[in-house]
Amino acid sequence: MPFVAQFRRTFPGLLLSAGVAALSVAAEHVQHQVLGWVMLDGLVIAIVAGILLHTGFGLAERYRAGVHFASKTILEIAIVLLGGTISAGAVLQIGPVMVGAIVLVVATALVLSYAIGRLLGLDTRLATLVACGNSICGNSAIMATAPVIRAPAEDVAASIAFTAALGVVIVLLLPLCFHLLGISEWQYGVIAGLSVYAVPQVLAATVPVGIMSTQIGTLVKLIRVLMLGPVVLAVGLVQGRKGGDALPLSMLVPWFVVGFLAMIGVRSAGLLPEAALPALQTVSADLTVVSMAALGLSVDLRSVVASGGRVLAAGFFSVVTLILLAVATAFALGGP
C-alpha cells in the first residue's frame, strides 16, 4: 500500500491514541502537582481510559487501522529505544554472582508464575503473559511476548491491567519490608529491583529508603529488563514445539528484540552520546503510553471482566512468590 494511502488509513486511529495518551500524561502530571507523588502513572491511566472509551462508545471502523498500528508497531519501536538506555557496563558493575542470582530468580519466577496461572485455570497464552509480565518488566514483557504466542488483545489487556494495578500496590507496600525485616539499604535495593515491575516504579519504591537502595535497585532492575530478549526467544521456541509446527524466524526472533539487543550493543560500544539518553528514555516512555492507549481502545471491558478474577488471583500469587524469592536472594547474598 502506498505510503500516503497507508498514512490516511492509520492517521485517525493514531491521532485518537495520541490524544488519549496526552490526556493520561496530563493526569499523571496533575497527580504529581497535587499529591507530590504519582499514584497511577500515565501508562496505567491510558490503558484504562482506552478500555472505558471502547466499552462506552465502541470503536468506529475508521479508527481501527491506526489503533492496531499504534498498539503493535509503536510499542515495538519503544522497546527498541529502551535498549539504548541499557549498558553492558552496568552489568559488569554489579558482579557475576549478582547477575547469576537475578537470572535464577527470573527463571524460577517464570516457571512458578506460569504454573500458578495454569492451576488457577488460565489458558497457556494468558498464563504465559502473566508469568512474563510478573517475572521481567511488566507491560513491556507482556507486549513483547504477545505476538510470539499470538495472544489475543483481550488477554494482553487483562494481563497488563491487573499487572499494572498490582505494580502500584507493590510500590506502596514494599517499603514496609525495609522496616519489618531489619535489612540493609543494599538488601532492600536488591528486593525492589527483583520484584518491582518498571524502572520508574523502582525509583518510587527505593528513593524513600536511601541512595544505596536506589542505585542497586536500578541496576538489578536493568538486568531483569536485559533478559527480555532471551526470554521472548525461549518462549517462541517452546510455543513452536507445542504447536507442532516450526515458527518462522521473524516470530522466534522478532525484529524489535534484535533491535533492542542491537541498541544495547551500540550504547555499550560508546556510539550513543550520553546526552542522547534522556531523549531516548522520554521518547520510549511516550511511545509506550501511546501504544497502551491504543491497546485499551481495542478492547471491550466486558471481555476482560470475564477472565478478570482468575487473572487477578494469578497475578497476586505470582507477585507474592516473586517477593519471597527476592527476599530470600537478598538474605542469601548478604551485602557488598
Side-chain angles (χ1 to χ4, degrees):
M1 182 181 294
F3 174 78
V4 174
Q6 178 71 12
F7 178 78
R8 288 175 177 171
R9 183 167 174 262
T10 58
F11 181 74
L14 278 172
L15 185 62
L16 177 62
S17 301
V20 173
L23 291 174
S24 301
V25 171
E28 176 183 325
H29 180 70
V30 169
Q31 291 177 73
H32 187 271
Q33 293 297 315
V34 174
L35 302 176
W37 62 290
V38 175
M39 180 180 296
L40 288 176
D41 62 32
L43 188 148
V44 177
I45 297 172
I47 189 171
V48 172
I51 291 174
L52 292 177
L53 281 173
H54 185 152
T55 303
F57 303 99
L59 187 67
E61 184 61 36
R62 67 180 180 277
Y63 296 117
R64 294 184 180 276
V67 166
H68 175 74
F69 178 84
S71 67
K72 183 178 183 296
T73 306
I74 295 296
L75 192 280
E76 293 171 347
I77 294 171
I79 292 173
V80 171
L81 296 179
L82 179 64
T85 67
I86 302 172
S87 170
V91 178
L92 296 177
Q93 288 177 25
I94 208 166
V97 174
M98 175 64 78
V99 172
I102 295 169
V103 172
L104 180 60
V105 168
V106 170
T108 304
L110 274 168
V111 173
L112 294 179
S113 295
Y114 178 80
I116 289 169
R118 295 293 288 145
L119 286 172
L120 289 171
L122 301 186
D123 63 35
T124 57
R125 291 174 180 173
L126 190 48
T128 300
L129 292 179
V130 172
C132 289
N134 179 67
S135 306
I136 307 173
C137 53
N139 304 314
S140 297
I142 291 170
M143 290 299 293
T145 307
V148 176
I149 63 174
R150 301 184 178 96
E154 288 78 8
D155 284 359
V156 178
S159 306
I160 288 178
F162 292 111
T163 297
L166 289 168
V168 173
V169 173
I170 295 172
V171 170
L172 294 174
L173 299 182
L174 193 62
L176 294 175
C177 289
F178 180 69
H179 302 289
L180 294 177
L181 298 177
I183 55 180
S184 67
E185 285 191 17
W186 188 92
Q187 288 174 311
Y188 176 78
V190 171
I191 293 171
L194 285 173
S195 58
V196 176
Y197 292 148
V199 175
Q201 291 178 335
V202 170
L203 296 178
T206 56
V207 167
V209 172
I211 186 63
M212 171 67 77
S213 66
T214 301
Q215 291 174 342
I216 189 66
T218 301
L219 286 175
V220 170
K221 176 59 193 171
L222 288 176
I223 294 174
R224 279 176 70 201
V225 174
L226 190 61
M227 293 187 66
L228 178 61
V231 168
V232 170
L233 175 59
V235 169
L237 290 169
V238 172
Q239 177 70 15
R241 292 195 187 99
K242 286 184 176 180
D245 57 341
L247 292 176
L249 183 61
S250 61
M251 290 293 289
L252 289 175
V253 190
W255 76 270
F256 59 90
V257 173
V258 176
F260 173 81
L261 296 175
M263 286 295 286
I264 293 174
V266 169
R267 165 79 190 281
S268 301
L271 301 177
L272 193 63
E274 290 293 322
L277 296 183
L280 268 182
Q281 292 171 334
T282 299
V283 173
S284 178
D286 289 346
L287 290 180
T288 301
V289 176
V290 172
S291 69
M292 291 301 100
L295 179 67
L297 286 165
S298 68
V299 174
D300 190 315
L301 181 60
R302 288 161 291 196
S303 299
V304 177
V305 170
S307 62
R310 296 193 305 274
V311 177
L312 181 58
F316 172 77
F317 288 115
S318 295
V319 165
V320 171
T321 300
L322 181 61
I323 292 175
L324 291 175
L325 288 171
V327 171
T329 301
F331 275 105
L333 292 173

